[in-house]
Amino acid sequence: QVQLVESGGGLVQAGGSLRLACAASGRTFSSYAMGWFRQAPGKEREFVAAITRRGGGTYYADSVKGRFTISRDNAKNTVYLQMNSLNSQDTAVYYCAASSRNGASLLREYEYWGQGTQVTVSS
């Protein structure tokens, strides 16, 4: 079992930045690829970014490429999502997730999920 707790969400103006963090506990953090997903009101949960077990590979949705950066610190059991140049379309609940499959980017490939943190971008 892996427990995931997100933090860092909040209200930000368009063009601003936020950094989300996801702290993991339970089984060995470095055994899991980690991902960030988001779900806006009335929409399906969608992939945002993923990072491989050791952090050597990162993947991004086209909508956030160049603006968001995923990183991890295996010594701290934490994965981060740095979000820059935020716009109203980034408003959503953001979830971190853990997958046994390295390089996973599909929602169904992730076994463990956090409760989510709200990000609201005001225009």
Side-chain angles (χ1 to χ4, degrees):
Q1 286 284 346
V2 177
Q3 293 79 43
L4 303 171
V5 179
E6 301 96 336
S7 61
L11 175 64
V12 63
Q13 289 188 334
S17 298
L18 279 175
R19 188 174 85 150
L20 306 183
C22 173
S25 59
R27 299 190 66 180
T28 307
F29 178 68
S30 59
S31 298
Y32 294 91
M34 298 298 296
W36 286 96
F37 293 76
R38 66 185 181 186
Q39 188 166 17
K43 295 188 176 181
E44 294 185 352
R45 195 170 298 189
E46 64 176 4
F47 171 75
V48 175
I51 188 166
T52 53
R53 296 185 187 109
R54 296 185 179 183
T58 56
Y59 311 88
Y60 297 94
D62 287 343
S63 59
V64 307
K65 203 171 292 184
R67 300 188 298 124
F68 290 12
T69 302
I70 188 170
S71 62
R72 67 189 296 163
D73 185 339
N74 285 350
K76 295 183 177 180
N77 289 358
T78 303
V79 61
Y80 304 96
L81 185 67
Q82 177 67 44
M83 305 186 295
N84 298 329
S85 302
L86 287 161
N87 58 60
S88 59
Q89 295 189 355
D90 296 317
T91 294
V93 177
Y94 283 71
Y95 299 89
C96 74
S99 173
S100 298
R101 184 181 182 280
N102 221 12
S105 62
L106 300 178
L107 193 147
R108 65 174 182 266
E109 295 177 309
Y110 283 81
E111 301 130 76
Y112 303 102
W113 292 84
Q115 293 300 306
T117 185
Q118 176 70 48
V119 171
T120 303
V121 183
S122 63
S123 55

